[in-house]
Each structure stands twice: as structure tokens, then as C-alpha cells.
Amino acid sequence: MRAVWVAGGYAAQGLGYATLVTALPMFKERQHIGDGYVSVVLLLICVAAAGGSMVADRVAARWGSRYALAGGLLTVAAGLALSTVWTPMPVFTVALVGYGVGLGAVDASLSMQGVLVQARLGRSVMNRLFAAYTAAAILAALLMSGFVASGAGAAVMVGVAAAFALIVAIVGRTTFEPGRTLPAAHHSTGGNRNVVLVCGLLVFTAFLADSAVSTWSSVYLHDSLLASSAAAPLGYVAYQFAVLVSRLAGDHLVPRLGQARSAAGCITVCALGCGLVVAVPSVAMAVVGFALTGIGVGILVPLAFTAAGEASPGHSDEVIARVNLFNYGGALLGAVALGALSAPIGLQLAFLVPTLALVLTLPVVRRLAQLRAPLPS
């Protein structure tokens, strides 16, 4: 039952984030803001999320990650709830920045909880937990479309996401994993840095590819390949469904292949997917490329967090919180770099950024295979 509520936390995070980004057109119209202000707010959310990740580390160290997760979900619920109605711009901005703090706290504490669930059950379940996030994100996009089409409005869906996060936080406070990782009496600081760097680079690259596809796939299909408005979202849909399928299969594949071989395969498939987008300017091939990218990203993210937790027993909460910070750097670079390159070279060639980043990350896999839990000195 505890694992179910942790999965509920993943679902609440996926539902809330997908709802927020799909509600941006409504926010722009209601608050009378432009794309420039939206970009600034999204940047502030990422910065706030990095801070929230470190707050989760402190809370987890003192009271346990279940309290960090419950507190983060409450903050997410408050930020989303406040954004459902018109407020003066300073208040609206503070609400979204507050949501960012909760977003980061939930990101970090969910991975902490996932590692604890795996340790208690004695088997790999991290991919299925992340699958709950992806399934909820897909559901959020579909529900948002339905609410807007019915005339109910996007704010109703934002309220639903806020209510769900609130319920999971209240119930989860007593039903999330109660275990915690206490710092070992002696551990290697250098070993910790190595784990953070190796796993962090995998997370950074995975989220760079994720952000590139999530932010620019529809724009590329519509503006560069002249796909219809109905066909333009198909790249993102194919990507998300591929992520979901790979995560449902990941808990069976990774233990059999091993983390290093699985990571190498994921990175290769991702690179092939992004490379296909660059090499073949076709709507059909682009959709296939985005789907291949999703297959690799889907497994690579939970694999990296699992590896970080297993390589640092006794202080995995601290290590996971630091690895999680690479998430936001990759997400920012994926969104900003492709946007900056779209005018001078076009989005097709701009997808070389994630392609090259993935290829350059391959050597890191060898170091992943060498990670070991630090021994007492």
C-alpha cells in the first residue's frame, strides 16, 4: 500500500506539471502577458525548483523524505490553486515561483522514496513509479483538451490537479515510506562526488533531450515541416507514449541487462532518434525519431536515480537531491539552446544539440559500471 501512495505522488507531480504547461495559453490571456514574460516565469520556476530540491534534502535529513514529499505536494497544491483565479501580477508570479519550490522538493523526495520502496521490496520498481508520472501527464493533456473544448475552461483542470496533489499530500504524510537513510559514520566524500557527477550527467543529458522534444517538437513539425495543426502534436504524443511503454518494461529489462548496458542502449537509442530528426526532414521520420528518443529517456532517468541510491547507501537522500539538480540544467539548456539556434540555423539542425550531447555522454557509462558503495574508512 505504501508503494501505491508513492506512485500517487509521482502521478500528482505529472498531473500538476502537465496541467501547468498546457494552461499557459489561458494564463497569457487572463493575465495579459506575452511570451517574454512567460519565459522569465519558467526560468524562475526552474531556479526555484533547484532551491526546493535542496530544501527537500534538509527536510529529509532531519525528519525523513516522506515529510519532504508531503510538504512539497502541499506547496504545489497551493501554487496551482492560487493560479486558478486572476491575481495582480506580483501575486501571480509569487504563486508560480512557490509552485517551483514545491516542484523541486517533490522531484527530489520522490526519487528518495522510490529508492526506499525498492529497498523494502527487494526488486526494481522505479521505472513503474516513473510510469505513473508519465501516464498522469498524458491524462492531464487529454483532460485539459476536454475541459477547454467543453467550455469549462483550463482553470478547472488546474484546480483538479491542485486538489489531487492536496489529497495525496494529506494521506501520504502517514502512508509514504517511513524509512530514512541516516548518514553513515564514515563515508568517502570523493566517492559521493563521483556518484553525483556520473549519475548527474546521465540525468542532465536525459532532461536535455526531454526538454528539446517537449518544447520544440510541435513547433518543428508545424513551422519547419509544414505539418497541419492537427498533425503537429503527434511528435510529442509519440514521445510521451514511448516514454510510458519503456518505463513499463524497464523494471524487467534493466535487472537482466545491467545498469551500464541499459544506460548505453538508452543513450544510443536517444541519439539515433534525435539524429533521425536532423538527417531526414520528413514528418513521419521526425515522429519516429521523437518516439525513439522517448524510449531511451523513459528508462535512463529512473536508472540514473536508482544507480545513485544504490551506490550511496546510508546517505542516498543527500546524493539524490544533488543529482536531481542536474535535471533543471538539462531542461533549461534543451529549451533555450534550440530556441536560440532556431533563427540562425533552423530547428532541424538545432536538434544536433541533444544528439551531440548524448554521444558525448556515452563514455560516462563506463564510469557507471565502476560505481560502488563507498566503504567505511
Side-chain angles (χ1 to χ4, degrees), residues 178-325:
R180 52 190 298 193
T181 60
L182 299 175
H186 301 282
H187 63 268
S188 168
T189 303
N192 284 352
R193 283 198 297 266
N194 187 45
V195 173
V196 170
L197 180 61
V198 172
C199 297
L201 285 174
L202 296 179
V203 169
F204 177 89
T205 307
F207 275 96
L208 192 161
D210 173 84
S211 179
V213 175
S214 299
T215 306
W216 298 108
S217 60
S218 296
V219 177
Y220 172 62
L221 290 175
H222 186 270
D223 294 353
S224 301
L225 300 183
L226 304 180
S228 67
S229 297
L234 291 180
Y236 181 69
V237 172
Y239 171 78
Q240 286 292 353
F241 272 102
V243 170
L244 178 60
V245 170
S246 69
R247 285 178 172 170
L248 290 174
D251 288 325
H252 304 286
L253 292 175
V254 175
R256 294 181 181 181
L257 297 176
Q259 290 178 345
R261 289 175 62 189
S262 298
C266 289
I267 293 171
T268 301
V269 171
C270 280
L272 287 174
C274 291
L276 187 61
V277 175
V278 175
V280 186
S282 154
V283 172
M285 288 299 98
V287 171
V288 171
F290 294 138
L292 288 173
T293 305
I295 289 173
V297 169
I299 293 178
L300 189 58
V301 173
L303 184 155
F305 282 111
T306 298
E310 291 178 350
S312 50
H315 44 281
S316 61
D317 288 353
E318 173 190 0
V319 171
I320 287 172
R322 293 178 181 178
V323 169
N324 187 61
L325 294 176

